Amino acid sequence: MQPGNGDEENMAQDNSFDIVSKIDVQEVRNAIDQALKEIRQRFDLKDSHSEIHLEGSESIQMASANEYKLEAVKEILGQKLVKRGVSLKNLTYGKVEPAAGQSVRQKISLQQGIPTEKAKEIVRLVKEAKKKAQASIQGDMVRISGKDRDDLQAIIAMLRGKDLGVDLQFTNYRTN
């Protein structure tokens, strides 16, 4: 290796990890199945014509006889999602809309990836932490890189302590 060719700089920056926000769609599917099973067994929801459908990997559609029963369906689904490790932070509830007859429906959007404004906030928090690490937005994730593993661990701990409104996972931790 010859000095000045940039290799020593690249070697020093080898510690990194990615911050992502993903929902396991299979776990959502399992939670919906469990929720539907419970809804069909519950006396108060027996004839409520309650339904829950997964629409692709972007949203869940719920329907029930009235708003009160829809709220019960939403609560059951929420419990099943949490039990299966799906964070409710990544769900955005649409407004309750009238459907056929007296029934109502509601759409829940599933947040996959870190929204741009949240990614910018993460970059700002990392800069404010005054650690020797860089944060870069890469599509719907943020990559943190730095020389010192302790700095990276401190950044993870700091971000875990903040409520950014989305569920964050820390992946691809690479050290040298």
Side-chain angles (χ1 to χ4, degrees):
M1 228 185 326
Q2 296 161 345
N5 66 1
D7 280 343
E8 62 278 341
E9 207 176 283
N10 293 340
M11 298 267 301
Q13 280 291 335
D14 268 338
N15 298 330
S16 69
F17 65 89
D18 297 333
I19 305 170
V20 298
S21 185
K22 297 231 180 292
I23 291 179
D24 185 339
V25 177
Q26 185 56 50
E27 290 299 348
V28 172
R29 213 173 267 126
N30 294 340
I32 289 173
D33 291 344
Q34 289 177 336
L36 286 169
K37 207 175 283 178
E38 183 175 325
I39 289 162
R40 288 191 172 80
Q41 290 171 348
R42 279 198 28 187
F43 181 76
D44 60 332
L45 296 172
K46 268 272 193 291
D47 297 319
S48 66
H49 305 289
S50 297
E51 285 300 323
I52 308 171
H53 299 286
L54 183 64
E55 297 180 337
S57 61
E58 286 88 49
S59 65
I60 299 168
Q61 185 75 41
M62 298 184 309
S64 196
N66 57 44
E67 278 192 55
Y68 172 75
K69 292 193 167 144
L70 185 69
E71 193 57 40
V73 168
K74 185 164 90 175
E75 202 170 289
I76 293 167
L77 178 61
Q79 291 167 356
K80 302 303 179 193
L81 287 167
V82 168
K83 266 190 188 147
R84 302 212 61 93
V86 177
S87 173
L88 300 183
K89 283 183 181 178
N90 285 24
L91 306 181
T92 306
Y93 295 91
K95 64 180 193 297
V96 175
E97 300 171 342
Q102 294 294 308
S103 67
V104 292
R105 66 176 176 232
Q106 185 174 28
K107 191 176 198 151
I108 305 171
S109 301
L110 304 176
Q111 175 64 52
Q112 294 281 25
I114 300 174
T116 308
E117 67 276 6
K118 298 291 181 193
K120 286 178 180 170
E121 192 175 340
I122 290 168
V123 170
R124 182 182 55 77
L125 288 168
V126 170
K127 279 186 181 145
E128 286 174 3
K130 303 273 190 259
K131 301 283 180 202
K132 288 189 175 139
Q134 287 72 47
S136 60
I137 299 172
Q138 313 211 322
D140 63 357
M141 64 177 224
V142 178
R143 175 156 297 151
I144 308 291
S145 54
K147 295 176 188 163
D148 186 359
R149 288 183 208 171
D150 292 340
D151 282 348
L152 297 183
Q153 292 289 348
I155 288 167
I156 290 174
M158 180 263 303
L159 290 172
R160 280 203 171 118
K162 301 264 185 224
D163 183 5
L164 296 168
V166 290
D167 185 46
L168 300 177
Q169 295 102 38
F170 303 92
T171 62
N172 297 332
Y173 197 93
R174 293 187 203 92
T175 60
N176 222 16

